[in-house]
Amino acid sequence: NNKALEEYELLFRGAFLDSIITAQERMSLEEKRLELGLTVALADEVEEKCIPANLLKYYQTVEGVLVDGVISELERSLLDKRKKQLGFDPILATNIEEDYLRTFGRS
């Protein structure tokens, strides 16, 4: 189990080299987590260890608002407030949002 956890962490760190976990990378990591037999809790521990807290919180917020595949005006306001609250780079935030919209959004 330790070896599987180490392998997952290496893959996660590799995916996070550019400071963004794309939606595609997220799906690949999930497949690898299942293949390695790791629990969601263990994968979350790796994520928390590797990603700065403010970035992790922003990812979680974006994933939460995109449950229905769109970002409404109210959700846009929430994301803007969250960016300011977390002291988040607006360009990085936009890149994350656009990637998730491309992958999970509705046309």
Side-chain angles (χ1 to χ4, degrees), residues 65-76:
V65 301
L66 275 175
V67 168
D68 62 356
V70 295
I71 297 177
S72 68
E73 285 184 42
L74 182 60
E75 291 166 335
R76 166 61 47 215

Side-chain angles (χ1 to χ4, degrees), residues 68-100:
D68 62 356
V70 295
I71 297 177
S72 68
E73 285 184 42
L74 182 60
E75 291 166 335
R76 166 61 47 215
S77 176
L78 170 72
L79 288 172
D80 290 343
K81 285 179 188 174
R82 193 71 161 151
K83 277 185 262 198
K84 288 178 188 167
Q85 181 185 48
L86 295 171
F88 208 72
D89 176 359
I91 294 170
L92 182 56
T94 299
N95 289 341
I96 291 168
E97 293 164 20
E98 288 175 355
D99 175 65
Y100 272 77

Side-chain angles (χ1 to χ4, degrees), residues 1 5 8 33 37-48:
N1 199 22
L5 196 56
Y8 184 80
R33 180 191 70 76
L38 297 175
T39 64
V40 172
L42 284 173
D44 286 349
E45 283 179 29
V46 169
E47 201 166 309
E48 289 171 12

